[in-house]
Amino acid sequence: MSNSHGPDKAAVKAYLLDLQDRICAALAAEDGGADFVEDAWTRAEGGGGRSRVITHGKVIEKGGVNFSHVHGTQMPASATAHRPELAGRAFEAMGVSLVIHPHNPYVPTSHANVRFFIAEKEGAAPVWWFGGGYDLTPYYGNEADVIHWHQTAKNACDPLGEHLYPKFKTWCDDYFFLKHRGEARGVGGLFFDDYNANSFEHSFALMRAVGDSYVPAYQPIVNARKDQPFTERERDFQLYRRGRYVEFNLVYDRGTLFGLQTGGRTESILMSLPPLVRWEYNWQPEAGSAEAELYEKFLPHRDWLK
């Protein structure tokens, strides 16, 4: 790993703040009925952020686009568990994280996150890395939408290395998997963590490519599906499937664990949870139904671009 220059924390922060602005502007324009409300917060142990939440829009039932920049003198257990060399270092973590839960069951839920970590100790080189990605969780599958999502992801990664999309796609499939259910949360996308390759400039460019491609990946899908008529049946299934989202975020999600373990702001961390959810005991989709198609055709891992 060569470093042409040390990490530029200020440049990363400026990019992330601008990314939050751009994503909020694009999604609010697509919604057309509500705007994001900002809630700035500070963290007693160091740092803070600005949470932006949209609720009861024409399209978005609940969504949040969070920026946070936290720092502290000790890395939390969730970070040092797989990187023991970080113990005893001061850290900074900054990122933008978002989840959009649309009202219409034909519009998929989406999640995206880009982040930067740096751990420093006097007399030692800083340890830093980027992470992030985005994934799509449809309730009713649409092949054209999923192909567009994955093609946009591939196009973002390819200029920085054609090996990256296949690697991050597989990583996403493996990560957003509910082991206790034996099923994927959605149709995947990109996921990467601990990324520190070639140089700071290269790694930062990759994070920007992923962050910048989220709106082009998601907005056309929202636009195409947001006016599709639906009934109580589709809405019930959407609320049932949202339960899987909750299960994943509370049981497996590393970001949730990191946020809670570092004394992050609970409201912002749990902002990703949908407003309405239902669980049914031992529910099974009707054979041959659109609901069954989600399980049979969309949730099993596939190469969408072949």
Side-chain angles (χ1 to χ4, degrees):
M1 287 182 290
S2 66
N3 251 8
S4 52
H5 299 290
D8 188 343
K9 294 185 281 192
V12 177
K13 184 170 184 176
Y15 168 77
L16 292 168
L17 288 165
D18 179 60
L19 179 68
Q20 184 190 33
D21 287 346
R22 289 185 285 125
I23 290 173
C24 289
L27 293 175
E30 191 59 55
D31 184 274
D35 218 330
F36 284 86
V37 176
E38 181 169 297
D39 184 11
W41 53 277
T42 53
R43 175 176 170 270
E45 296 85 355
R50 50 186 207 190
S51 298
R52 291 187 182 163
V53 177
I54 185 170
T55 51
H56 309 302
K58 278 187 189 167
V59 180
I60 301 169
E61 189 172 0
K62 179 190 174 192
V65 183
N66 280 351
F67 165 81
S68 65
H69 178 198
V70 301
H71 48 88
T73 52
Q74 285 287 338
M75 292 287 282
S78 64
T80 55
H82 67 299
R83 298 286 292 262
E85 76 276 16
L86 300 177
R89 285 176 175 253
F91 77 93
E92 288 185 59
M94 58 181 92
V96 168
S97 181
L98 69 93
V99 178
I100 303 298
H101 291 291
H103 183 69
N104 188 320
Y106 288 105
V107 184
T109 283
S110 74
H111 158 257
N113 172 271
V114 283
R115 58 193 177 274
F116 175 65
F117 282 81
I118 184 165
E120 295 174 284
K121 188 163 74 174
E122 207 170 323
V127 176
W128 57 266
W129 67 88
F130 289 92
Y134 44 70
D135 62 288
L136 193 69
T137 308
Y139 303 95
Y140 289 89
N142 183 293
E143 200 153 321
D145 290 351
V146 183
I147 291 169
H148 163 79
W149 178 262
H150 278 273
Q151 189 65 56
T152 307
K154 183 179 188 300
N155 293 349
C157 294
D158 277 359
L160 293 148
E162 293 192 359
H163 64 292
L164 294 175
Y165 166 76
K167 180 181 175 184
F168 296 165
K169 189 263 185 204
T170 302
W171 201 342
C172 189
D173 286 342
D174 293 344
Y175 181 74
F176 291 105
F177 190 81
L178 288 88
K179 298 177 191 73
H180 63 286
R181 297 278 189 187
E183 69 186 41
R185 184 172 86 172
V187 296
L190 301 171
F191 182 87
F192 67 99
D193 205 1
D194 301 325
Y195 191 84
N196 171 332
N198 302 329
S199 65
F200 171 77
E201 288 78 9
H202 164 86
S203 303
F204 184 24
L206 174 68
M207 187 194 82
R208 294 197 307 269
V210 172
D212 291 347
S213 65
Y214 165 74
V215 167
Y218 188 51
Q219 193 170 4
I221 298 172
V222 179
N223 187 266
R225 309 287 154 226
K226 65 183 182 181
D227 296 321
Q228 197 164 328
F230 64 92
T231 68
E232 204 61 39
R233 173 191 172 124
E234 289 95 335
R235 178 69 171 163
D236 282 349
F237 183 60
Q238 177 197 43
L239 298 188
Y240 172 73
R241 286 296 307 172
R242 279 179 177 178
R244 301 295 204 268
Y245 215 88
V246 174
E247 290 174 26
F248 182 86
N249 277 27
L250 296 184
V251 176
Y252 299 112
D253 189 77
R254 270 169 65 177
T256 302
L257 296 175
F258 177 84
L260 296 174
Q261 287 179 0
T262 51
R265 183 169 181 263
T266 303
E267 281 301 302
S268 299
I269 296 160
L270 298 183
M271 166 216 82
S272 61
L273 300 181
L276 294 171
V277 192
R278 57 192 300 225
W279 277 269
E280 296 283 342
Y281 179 73
N282 202 23
W283 182 86
Q284 301 295 328
E286 222 176 277
S289 65
E291 292 79 15
E293 185 187 49
L294 180 78
Y295 291 90
E296 292 158 12
K297 186 176 170 183
F298 288 88
L299 295 183
H301 295 158
R302 283 175 59 183
D303 181 349
W304 290 96
L305 301 180
K306 279 272 161 65

